């Protein structure tokens, strides 16, 4: 018997054996005291004293239960060891619930039973819960213990055929009704399968967790995280509204936050992601989950220069290799910079060649998105000859050009090729200052730059800049070595500014300087010739235009005159035709019409300028000198 005193409140509590009823009463009393403290302003340290007393009683009750299970009370009890912890249990109660223990107690001695239970798939805490259940205590099944309890109940044969409402049925019912419908609870329960993985797989709990997680991820891929980089909208976005309607109930749960898959260990995480890829979960969400997993377990836990244990280094390497295997082979899901970061960690952690080659191939397919600083991959090893890993860059560029094929050559591919050519030139400029960079290596990189620029009509200014930096940092080179460095420089593609700089550059070989001056002279001659030719062409064009204008004006005048003359002729023809009809009509008329005939004939003479008598039809017309214009 012991007594607890609370002098601040004038309360003392007596307990005998820490029975369960007393513990519940004390727990209720503690809650009342907390409420009283909130209303009366009791000091914080008084609350802490009560909490320590409450914790002491909880631990003491647990030790009392363990001691109760470890002390023999009657000859019908049996003492067992689970995980090195002794338990004294009633044989009849065990046999009533467990068919396996009943068979062992009947057929084997206690020594054989102890030997058999050494391999029991449970820790002492789980076995203690089973023992309490066998002795009639009510169990509190939780997300963390439902899987271990189910595995141990299955192992011990605690089925309905042995006893009604047995432990296995209770745990499996709880697992099905309370765990699987919830994303968070499923992941937490899935985590607890790691320590009893073979038994959980045999019982089907692992497959049930995986199926539940994948089904929920298919219905709502955002549970895996937001995509890192959206390059396009695929067919899955069409059903986005349906997905949100199916999960609309979560909008009313303000504090609900999805449990992250990255909390799982690699042996649980890898099969889930692999199955998601097979079941059609959108690639961009799988990629987002994989990147978050790598950041959590590799990037964030890695400190440069820190000495890592062999186990930790091995674990990070295995995680990165698994991430590379699981990444979808879809171009554009990840930024090129992030792929370079993964490649650097793969090199530092000495990952497998398949892992490094995988990252290099992925980078090569979208190398046009990279920056020059991304290619600055440090060279590792004690016997390194250069500061940066040039061979790795060469392999990446090779993968870039291997991704192009003849049927796919298009304007976009040409633009990508130009971007890569500029990238290599920038990279060459960066590494040219490395004092350990050999002439052969520099020439190899220069050849890559020239090859990338073929057919693009790009200038050689970038290559000239890199050569100038390299010759400046490597002044010990001989004349022949400097000529080898400059042999890929195309002086004809250099700009005027670059040619002027090269003509005064003392670091260049004499042959290259002469060649640059000659090219510059040709450029000046071509420029002058173009200007002269342009001036001549402009003058000739002006004369031709003037002549065409004058000629055009003359033709226009002639056309106008011809139109006027044509109108006059037509008018005269019309009048002649009228007079002819009148004369013919007059000859066939009577004598009484003489006056009319005289008048008509007189009118005709007047118009033509004739003077004659009325009866002389063959009169001689008296000519007058008339100007042609008077005929109008």
């Amino acid at each position: 018997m012991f007594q607890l005193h609370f002098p601040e409140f004038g309360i003392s509590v007596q307990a005998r054996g820490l029975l369960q009823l007393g513990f519940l009463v004390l727990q209720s009393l503690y809650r009342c005291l907390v409420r009283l403290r909130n209303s009366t302003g009791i000091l914080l340290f008084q609350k802490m004293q009560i909490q320590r007393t409450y914790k002491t009683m909880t631990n003491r009750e647990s030790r009392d239960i363990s001691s109760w299970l470890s002390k023999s009370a009657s000859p019908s009890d049996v003492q067992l060891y689970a995980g090195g912890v002794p338990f004294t249990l009633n044989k009849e109660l065990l046999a009533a619930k467990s068919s396996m223990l009943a068979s062992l107690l009947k057929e084997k001695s206690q020594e054989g039973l102890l030997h058999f239970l050494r391999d029991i798939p449970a820790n002492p805490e789980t076995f203690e819960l089973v023992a309490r259940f066998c002795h009639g205590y009510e169990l509190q099944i939780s997300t963390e213990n439902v899987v271990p309890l189910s595995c141990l109940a299955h192992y011990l044969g605690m089925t309905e055929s042995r006893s009604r409402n047995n432990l296995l049925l209770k745990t499996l019912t709880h697992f099905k009704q309370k765990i699987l419908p919830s994303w968070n609870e499923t992941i937490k329960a899935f985590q607890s399968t790691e320590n009893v993985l073979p038994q959980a797989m045999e019982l089907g709990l692992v497959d049930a967790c995986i199926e539940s997680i994948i089904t929920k991820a298919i219905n709502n891929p955002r549970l895996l995280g937001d995509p890192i980089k959206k390059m396009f909208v695929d067919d899955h976005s069409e059903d986005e509204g349906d997905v949100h309607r199916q999960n609309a109930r979560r909008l009313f749960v303000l504090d609900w936050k999805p449990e992250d898959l990255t909390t799982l260990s690699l042996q649980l995480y890898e099969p889930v992601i692999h199955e998601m890829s097979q079941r059609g979960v959108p690639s961009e969400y799988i990629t987002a989950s994989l990147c978050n997993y790598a950041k959590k377990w590799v990037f964030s836990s890695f400190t440069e220069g820190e000495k890592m244990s062999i186990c930790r280094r091995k674990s990070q390497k295995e995680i990165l290799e698994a991430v590379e295997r699981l990444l979808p082979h879809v171009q554009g899901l990840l930024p090129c910079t992030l792929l370079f970061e993964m490649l650097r960690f793969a090199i530092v952690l000495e990952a497998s060649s398949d892992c490094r080659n995988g990252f290099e191939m992925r980078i090569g397919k979208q190398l046009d998105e990279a920056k020059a600083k991304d290619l600055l991959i440090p060279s590792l090893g004690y016997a390194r000859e250069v500061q940066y890993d040039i061979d790795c860059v060469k392999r990446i560029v090779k993968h870039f050009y291997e991704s192009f094929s003849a049927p796919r050559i298009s304007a976009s591919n040409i633009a990508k090729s130009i971007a890569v050519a500029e990238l290599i030139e920038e990279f060459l400029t960066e590494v040219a200052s490395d004092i350990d960079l050999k002439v052969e290596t520099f020439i190899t990189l220069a050849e890559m730059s020239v090859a990338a620029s073929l057919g693009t009509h790009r200038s050689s200014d970038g290559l000239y800049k890199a050569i100038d930096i390299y010759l400046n940092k490597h002044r010990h080179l001989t004349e022949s070595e400097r000529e080898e460095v400059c042999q890929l420089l195309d002086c004809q593609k250099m700009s005027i500014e670059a040619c002027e700089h090269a003509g005064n550059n003392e670091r260049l070989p004499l042959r290259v300087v002469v060649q640059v001056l000659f090219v510059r002279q040709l450029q000046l001659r071509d420029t002058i010739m173009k200007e002269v030719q342009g001036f001549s062409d402009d003058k000739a064009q002006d004369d031709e235009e003037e002549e065409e204008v004058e000629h055009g004006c003359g033709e226009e005048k002639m056309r106008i005159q011809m139109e006027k003359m044509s109108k006059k002729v037509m008018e005269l023809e019309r009048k002649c035709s009228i007079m002819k009809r009148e004369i013919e009509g007059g000859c066939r008329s009577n004598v009484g019409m003489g006056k009319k005939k005289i008048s008509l004939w007189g009118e005709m003479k007047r118009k033509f300028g004739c003077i004659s008598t009325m009866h002389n039809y063959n009169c001689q017309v008296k000519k007058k000198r008339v100007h042609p214009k008077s005929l109008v």
Side-chain angles (χ1 to χ4, degrees), residues 232-431:
F232 55 90
V233 179
D234 56 10
D235 297 336
H236 297 284
S237 61
E238 297 177 358
D239 301 331
E240 188 174 357
D242 296 336
V243 172
H244 287 300
R245 282 193 295 270
Q246 293 173 4
N247 296 275
R249 62 180 182 276
R250 292 198 178 101
L251 297 176
F252 302 96
V253 186
L254 300 180
D255 297 332
W256 188 85
K257 182 179 179 181
E259 188 75 16
D260 197 352
L261 276 179
T262 60
T263 58
L264 299 175
S265 64
L266 182 61
Q267 65 174 344
L268 300 179
Y269 179 79
E270 185 172 2
V272 172
I273 296 298
H274 180 269
E275 190 66 21
M276 284 185 180
S277 301
Q278 302 296 322
R279 297 279 293 274
V281 176
S283 300
E284 55 267 32
Y285 294 97
I286 293 178
T287 302
S289 180
L290 288 168
C291 290
N292 293 332
Y293 197 80
K295 289 179 180 179
K296 180 174 183 177
W297 297 104
V298 180
F299 300 168
S300 61
S301 60
F302 182 88
T303 304
E304 189 174 358
E306 180 185 0
K307 292 184 178 179
M308 292 187 297
S309 62
I310 297 177
C311 294
R312 181 181 174 187
R313 187 183 185 89
K314 181 181 178 182
S315 174
Q316 291 183 342
K317 183 183 74 169
E318 291 176 350
I319 289 174
L320 198 57
E321 291 174 350
V323 168
E324 193 283 323
R325 286 195 305 270
L326 296 171
L327 275 176
H329 293 277
V330 178
Q331 183 178 343
L333 293 180
L334 285 180
C336 203
T337 302
L338 184 54
L339 288 173
F340 271 107
E341 185 177 3
M342 291 183 177
L343 176 60
R344 289 190 182 93
F345 276 101
I347 295 174
V348 171
L349 294 173
E350 298 179 355
S352 64
S353 59
D354 291 339
C355 177
R356 296 196 299 270
N357 292 336
F359 284 125
E360 290 175 0
M361 291 181 65
R362 296 174 191 275
I363 293 171
K365 292 180 180 179
Q366 54 190 83
L367 185 59
D368 56 294
E369 303 173 6
K371 306 297 181 183
K373 63 180 181 179
D374 295 332
L375 294 175
L376 300 177
I377 302 173
S379 180
L380 302 180
Y382 296 102
R384 65 180 186 179
E385 298 180 355
V386 291
Q387 184 178 358
Y388 301 107
D389 194 343
I390 305 299
D391 293 334
C392 180
V393 176
K394 290 164 59 178
R395 291 193 298 268
I396 291 175
V397 175
K398 181 180 178 182
H399 289 312
F400 171 76
Y401 286 106
E402 286 177 349
S403 63
F404 284 3
S405 58
R408 292 175 54 193
I409 294 177
S410 59
S412 61
N413 286 343
I414 294 175
K416 292 179 180 179
S417 182
I418 294 175
V420 171
E422 296 175 352
L423 175 67
I424 297 174
E425 283 186 356
E426 294 177 7
F427 172 71
L428 187 60
T429 304
E430 292 287 341
V431 300

Side-chain angles (χ1 to χ4, degrees), residues 485-540:
V485 171
C486 299
Q487 65 183 353
L488 294 175
L489 182 62
D490 190 353
C491 300
Q492 296 181 356
K493 292 185 178 181
M494 293 173 60
S495 63
I496 297 176
E497 295 78 8
C499 288
E500 291 178 353
H501 184 275
N504 300 319
N505 195 342
E506 299 177 353
R507 294 181 288 273
L508 293 177
L510 181 60
R511 182 183 62 81
V512 178
V513 174
V514 172
Q515 186 178 1
V516 170
L517 293 176
F518 178 73
V519 171
R520 177 57 180 152
Q521 184 180 3
L522 293 178
Q523 290 177 348
L524 289 174
R525 188 190 68 178
D526 293 340
T527 303
I528 295 173
M529 292 297 295
K530 288 180 180 179
E531 291 180 356
V532 172
Q533 183 68 27
F535 177 76
S536 301
D537 294 341
D538 293 342
K539 185 177 181 181

Side-chain angles (χ1 to χ4, degrees), residues 101-159:
L101 290 178
S103 177
L104 291 174
L105 290 172
K106 182 178 180 181
E107 299 176 0
K108 296 185 178 181
S109 61
Q110 183 172 347
E111 291 76 9
L113 183 62
L114 293 176
H115 178 75
F116 181 81
L117 290 178
R118 288 195 185 101
D119 300 329
I120 191 170
N123 52 29
E125 291 77 11
T126 305
F127 189 80
E128 181 176 336
L129 292 175
V130 173
R132 288 170 58 85
F133 176 79
C134 293
H135 285 77
Y137 289 91
E138 186 66 26
L139 291 183
Q140 293 294 329
I141 302 176
S142 65
T143 305
E144 290 75 14
N145 64 26
V146 63
V147 172
L149 280 175
S150 299
C151 293
L152 185 55
H154 176 69
Y155 181 80
L156 296 177
M158 302 178 72
T159 61

